[in-house]
Amino acid sequence: MHGTVISASILNSDLSDLRGTARKVDDSGAEWLHFDVMDGNFVENITFGSSVLKALKPWSDTFFDVHLMVNDPTRQVKLFAEAGADNITVHAESRCDLRAVLTEIHRLGLSAGIAVKPGTPASAAMPYLDLADMILVMTVEPGYGGQGFMRDMIPKIQEFRAAAPDKDIEVDGGINAETSKLVREAGANILVAGTYLFRAENMRTAAESLRGI
Ligand code: DX5
Ligand code: ZN
């Protein structure tokens, strides 16, 4: 399990300048880059695929954290692994053989995560924890950046922390200086932040505030 890690979500960054974004994130001290992959089906929006990640890989020293919001991730994991992903997270609600997909992510040499939407109980992910290095608790409805943090997700974070004391717990959506404190206290250690980091005047100071510094 990692200490507190900041995973900067590029979703709400300037998408016309991803290379600049990668540089800024490296300079900010955020350890991970978070890629929100959406297929226009699992969620309404369509974002980017493995080719965008591959193009960015030479321009960043960070760990590439891929969040697959797609109906069927089965065919995507190999492509993202080849493109340079370091972690791939799949949703418990996706339509696939989850055990097979998580096993395949590990076979490819990557870390694997299991994600749950706000309406999905922790129990939906529990049967897969033996195959997951990380649990992602969505703290907004997946689809868009810039939404408000759902406080009622705190008990779910606590529930996962109690069930998996040694695993990484990632939170995603509406994370800022105030909400990061709540989720850290509940047991989360990987903090995804998009809007808060990219709107900040000083991204390094903003990243530090998420760590409680
Ligand atoms: C929502 C995405 C989040 C989003 C977080 O579907 O999974 O990663 O980018 O963005 P903010 O930090 O703006 O809530
Ligand atoms: Zn995400």
Side-chain angles (χ1 to χ4, degrees), residues 9-12 34 36 38 43 67 69 138 140-147 172-175 192-196:
S9 169
I10 64 168
L11 187 62
N12 274 15
H34 184 85
D36 285 313
M38 305 185 190
V43 288
H67 177 191
M69 283 164 276
M138 293 295 306
V140 298
E141 282 300 336
Y144 295 94
Q147 304 181 71
D172 188 5
I175 299 299
V192 176
T195 308
Y196 179 69

Side-chain angles (χ1 to χ4, degrees), residues 97-155:
D97 180 343
L98 275 175
R99 294 198 75 83
V101 170
L102 291 166
T103 302
E104 175 67 2
I105 295 170
H106 281 147
R107 196 190 64 76
L108 292 162
L110 275 55
S111 130
I114 179 103
V116 284
K117 298 204 284 188
T120 303
S123 58
M126 292 297 182
Y128 306 101
L129 293 196
D130 60 319
L131 288 173
D133 305 288
M134 181 164 84
I135 301 150
L136 194 177
V137 178
M138 293 295 306
T139 44
V140 298
E141 282 300 336
Y144 295 94
Q147 304 181 71
F149 175 78
M150 298 168 75
R151 275 172 192 261
D152 47 345
M153 293 301 111
I154 295 285

Side-chain angles (χ1 to χ4, degrees), residues 162-206:
D166 301 324
K167 288 189 192 288
D168 286 320
I169 298 184
E170 182 172 57
V171 284
D172 188 5
I175 299 299
N176 57 36
E178 288 79 47
T179 58
S180 66
K181 186 167 185 290
L182 301 175
V183 295
R184 278 187 285 106
E185 284 169 0
N189 63 312
I190 315 275
L191 312 180
V192 176
T195 308
Y196 179 69
L197 288 179
F198 287 100
R199 285 221 187 121
E201 218 161 279
N202 183 325
M203 201 188 284
R204 173 168 281 275
T205 312

Side-chain angles (χ1 to χ4, degrees), residues 61-105:
D61 292 328
T62 55
F63 180 100
F64 277 21
D65 175 28
V66 175
H67 177 191
L68 290 182
M69 283 164 276
V70 302
N71 263 347
D72 183 357
T74 310
R75 288 189 301 172
Q76 294 299 319
V77 295
K78 190 160 177 277
L79 294 172
F80 277 95
E82 285 168 357
D86 296 294
N87 172 80
I88 298 180
T89 295
V90 294
H91 265 270
E93 307 84 357
S94 57
R95 294 182 209 135
C96 68
D97 180 343
L98 275 175
R99 294 198 75 83
V101 170
L102 291 166
T103 302
E104 175 67 2
I105 295 170

Side-chain angles (χ1 to χ4, degrees), residues 6 24-25 27-30 176-177 180 196-197 200-213:
I6 309 302
K24 268 191 224 157
V25 170
D27 292 347
S28 77
N176 57 36
S180 66
Y196 179 69
L197 288 179
E201 218 161 279
N202 183 325
M203 201 188 284
R204 173 168 281 275
T205 312
E208 284 170 359
S209 74
L210 295 177
R211 299 180 207 275
I213 297 173

